[in-house]
Amino acid sequence: MISSVKLTASSSSPFSALSSRKNFHNLQTRSQLSTLPTIQIAKQNLGHSPFFTHKPLYLASTTLQAITARDNVNGGCGSSSIVCQAYEADRSRPIEIQLPGDEEVAQKLKMGLYFATWWSLNVVFNIYNKKVLNVFPYPWLTSTLSLAAGSLIMLISWATRVAEPPKVNFDFWKALLPVAVAHTIGHVAATVSMSKVAVSFTHIIKSGEPAFSVLVSRFLLGEAFPLPVYLSLLPIIGGCALAAVTELNFNMIGFMGAMISNMAFVFRNIFSKKGMKGMSVSGMNYYACLSMLSLLILTPFAIAVEGPKLWAAGWQTALSQIGPNFIW
């Protein structure tokens, strides 16, 4: 409900006009002190005025209308009026209070849960991967089976509608190809490294990936970083060097495998950032498609490097050493 309240003061005396202007100045000063001042309208003063309401009126704006003596058709010395635009409070609507902090906290908790789950499953994956490689030292087949398992899980999820299948075209697979090549190299190189050295040593070397990322972005892409970023790389590089020097069971193949994995994953991130812009595919489906394409790339190389004969012999040896637990 929109209401207009006009308070008119006119007189033939100049003191009345002066008093009216003074009252308007006081009203204007009070309206500036409060964003939405309430106009209290007393019933006993207004009687049965059509402007009377049981609900409070909130002041929206005030304007001064002045009529000079020249414009006054009656020849008076002038008049002025104060026009108050007001609106009626609507108490039927509930007050909605939005707390933007709650959504931000929930997002941070969700992201923290993702990190904790990823880290925990990664620990389990590395432990079982090392157990398999100890009795079945064929990292190319082990890498292939890892990609195959992930691809199979996502195909089942899409078929049962647990996850919505992505809508992709030829341009998507074309842009994904260099990413998949780098992903395949990094995945195999890390598995080869773990087959030769301790898991802890492999991941200490792989912790230097941020340093590789900054250096490659600086010298190949021309991206500049602030000085604190470069200084933060010094303890990372120093820690990796110290671990390599003091490793008792140091193996060059294991060390080079971890280093190649670092470089491959850096290029994977660069290719993904450059080639996948504008592709509307969710993170989970994107990684599923990446695993499937990497599986197609890796399978023929795994057959060529190791081959079914070595796998069959290694399978029998593993079963004779630890029994059916090897399958688990």
Side-chain angles (χ1 to χ4, degrees), residues 181-204:
V181 172
H183 180 73
T184 304
I185 296 173
H187 181 55
V188 173
T191 309
V192 170
S193 176
M194 283 190 289
S195 67
K196 300 296 182 180
V197 295
V199 177
S200 57
F201 178 74
T202 299
H203 282 274
I204 288 174

Side-chain angles (χ1 to χ4, degrees), residues 12 21 34 54 73 122 132 134 156 205 272 274 306 308 316:
S12 59
R21 290 184 177 88
S34 178
H54 291 283
V73 295
N122 195 39
V132 170
N134 285 337
I156 295 175
I205 302 304
S272 178
K274 283 187 135 186
E306 295 174 348
Q316 296 298 327

Side-chain angles (χ1 to χ4, degrees), residues 279-313:
M279 302 291 181
S280 57
V281 179
S282 66
M284 182 173 62
N285 286 337
Y286 172 78
Y287 197 78
C289 295
L290 179 62
S291 298
M292 294 175 186
L293 189 55
S294 296
L295 176 62
L296 294 177
I297 296 172
L298 179 58
T299 300
F301 286 95
I303 295 174
V305 173
E306 295 174 348
K309 291 184 178 181
L310 291 178
W311 296 339

Side-chain angles (χ1 to χ4, degrees), residues 212-223:
F212 284 88
S213 180
V214 170
L215 295 177
V216 170
S217 299
R218 177 66 183 89
F219 293 106
L220 295 184
L221 302 179
E223 296 183 6

Side-chain angles (χ1 to χ4, degrees), residues 228-239:
V229 174
Y230 294 107
L231 294 178
S232 67
L233 300 179
L234 295 179
I236 297 177
I237 298 174

Side-chain angles (χ1 to χ4, degrees), residues 215-267:
L215 295 177
V216 170
S217 299
R218 177 66 183 89
F219 293 106
L220 295 184
L221 302 179
E223 296 183 6
F225 297 92
L227 180 61
V229 174
Y230 294 107
L231 294 178
S232 67
L233 300 179
L234 295 179
I236 297 177
I237 298 174
C240 293
L242 182 63
V245 172
T246 58
E247 175 64 27
L248 297 178
N249 299 320
F250 180 83
N251 182 281
M252 183 56 69
I253 296 178
F255 175 76
M256 291 304 299
M259 296 290 284
I260 293 172
S261 178
N262 282 338
M263 289 295 295
F265 283 147
V266 167
F267 281 102

Side-chain angles (χ1 to χ4, degrees), residues 29 51 61 66 70 81 87 140 160 162 193-194 202 243 256 265:
T29 303
F51 298 107
S61 64
R70 184 172 53 187
S81 63
Y87 64 91
W140 288 79
T160 57
V162 173
S193 176
M194 283 190 289
T202 299
M256 291 304 299
F265 283 147

Side-chain angles (χ1 to χ4, degrees), residues 4-11 16-17 20-21 23-25 27-28 61-69 71-72 77-85:
S4 294
V5 181
K6 292 187 178 182
L7 303 178
T8 305
S10 61
S11 173
S16 299
S20 185
R21 290 184 177 88
N23 292 335
F24 171 72
H25 175 72
L27 176 61
Q28 188 180 33
S61 64
T62 58
T63 58
L64 174 64
Q65 295 179 353
I67 303 176
T68 62
D71 297 330
N72 194 336
C77 66
S79 64
S80 61
S81 63
I82 300 173
V83 180
C84 300
Q85 302 291 338

